[in-house]
Amino acid sequence: MRYPVNYINITNPFKKAVHYGIDLGWGNECGKNQPIYAIDDGVVIYKSIQTTGGKVLHIKHANGFVSEYAHLDTWDVNKGDRVSKGQRIGTMGCTGTNARGNHCHLGLYKGISINYKDLSKFVNPIDYLTRTSEQVVTDKTEANYFIKYHKEEPKVEWTIGNYELLVSKAIRTSHELIDNIVKVGACMSSVKPNLTSANSNDDAFYKIGTIVDITEIYVDETSRVWGKLQNCWIVLCNKDGTPQAKKVL
Ligand SMILES: [Zn+2]
């Protein structure tokens, strides 16, 4: 089973008798309304608006678990739909009584359906989920939680061409040159997450999923991989090896 987001930022862990799931928040780099994906193949067995959970989906899986996704902003599937692992099922939101801002509450329940009167069957999703190479983990989450990594993934070759962004990116056409390379961050996306084209400040914002044309590759001294996008450089892969973009074939 995989994580339901491509930007793994755990803001509230599983704790028995307190919190029966994990909260996956926006983080600074992922932008608003990031997609939520099914953690495994399954069937949507529940689609309802709850007072606390807001828009909630339950997916029943063949391995004896049901996954629960709460506080969704939008949902892309209906009760009875068959979904495959990694299929987009909705977007992150803050529906329901929820003081913690936009996040996805993910519950994992051992059983054929979730019985909210028997919370003891909720397990800690972290123990069962695996991160893939296209999923980014925030430093804080990496430091505080053990995120399993699917190591069989093939090593990525970084070559020029089209890439799909796994996190949203802000690029600027006016910025300083460091070591002859323009280094720009990706942290402004939460400010203007929905813009996809240049604005009057010469900034351009790209949402998750945007396809960009990378015309040059540069690997810096820390092994971070940069790609040239128009007149700017964006990070394609962090120095720890976690990609921020995926080659489109
Ligand atoms: Zn929660």
Side-chain angles (χ1 to χ4, degrees):
M1 292 185 275
R2 52 158 277 165
Y3 279 83
V5 287
N6 278 347
Y7 189 92
I8 303 168
N9 179 41
I10 296 176
T11 53
N12 192 15
F14 176 91
K15 200 173 176 197
K16 266 202 157 55
V18 178
H19 189 226
Y20 286 97
I22 55 171
D23 288 347
L24 296 149
W26 273 8
N28 290 327
E29 299 181 358
C30 57
K32 193 180 177 182
N33 297 341
Q34 62 164 313
I36 303 297
Y37 306 99
I39 64 168
D40 211 342
D41 297 345
V43 179
V44 179
I45 56 167
Y46 177 94
K47 177 183 182 179
S48 188
I49 297 176
Q50 300 176 358
T51 311
T52 52
K55 287 183 180 167
V56 178
L57 288 172
H58 293 174
I59 297 175
K60 183 181 166 184
H61 308 287
N63 58 4
F65 285 103
V66 176
S67 53
E68 173 197 41
Y69 312 78
H71 314 302
L72 298 176
D73 185 58
T74 59
W75 36 30
D76 299 343
V77 292
N78 289 309
K79 193 177 168 185
D81 284 357
R82 271 188 185 279
V83 293
S84 51
K85 183 178 182 178
Q87 181 180 330
R88 182 181 150 139
I89 56 170
T91 53
M92 185 182 284
C94 61
T95 54
T97 48
N98 171 11
R100 289 174 179 274
N102 285 268
H103 70 276
C104 174
H105 171 98
L106 177 78
L108 191 59
Y109 195 89
K110 223 173 169 74
I112 53 163
S113 65
I114 294 180
N115 176 1
Y116 287 107
K117 290 196 175 104
D118 184 6
L119 299 173
S120 69
K121 290 189 177 137
F122 275 107
V123 296
N124 188 348
I126 287 178
D127 296 337
Y128 296 86
L129 302 182
T130 308
R131 180 199 133 198
T132 66
S133 68
E134 61 182 49
Q135 293 180 310
V136 178
V137 183
T138 61
D139 290 347
K140 208 173 165 190
T141 295
E142 192 78 66
N144 292 326
Y145 306 102
F146 178 63
I147 307 295
K148 286 184 218 161
Y149 184 47
H150 197 277
K151 288 200 168 53
E152 291 84 60
E153 298 266 334
K155 201 173 179 300
V156 181
E157 296 286 341
W158 299 98
T159 50
I160 61 167
N162 287 335
Y163 282 83
E164 179 185 342
L165 297 181
L166 303 174
V167 299
S168 55
K169 295 279 186 187
I171 66 166
R172 294 188 140 182
T173 49
S174 55
H175 35 238
E176 52 185 327
L177 284 163
I178 304 165
D179 303 333
N180 279 330
I181 186 168
V182 177
K183 298 191 175 179
V184 289
C187 60
M188 295 181 70
S189 53
S190 59
V191 181
K192 290 179 180 173
N194 291 318
L195 295 178
T196 53
S197 58
N199 68 19
S200 56
N201 296 322
D202 293 324
D203 295 335
F205 297 85
Y206 296 87
K207 289 201 291 186
I208 292 173
T210 305
I211 308 292
V212 295
D213 185 18
I214 298 299
T215 55
E216 210 176 319
I217 298 286
Y218 171 80
V219 182
D220 71 17
E221 63 283 355
T222 68
S223 300
R224 197 184 277 118
V225 182
W226 298 82
K228 192 171 186 187
L229 169 58
Q230 297 171 16
N231 295 322
C232 299
W233 292 83
I234 60 167
V235 174
L236 296 179
C237 185
N238 291 336
K239 58 187 176 184
D240 66 356
T242 53
Q244 299 208 344
K246 177 175 75 175
K247 190 90 189 272
V248 180
L249 299 173

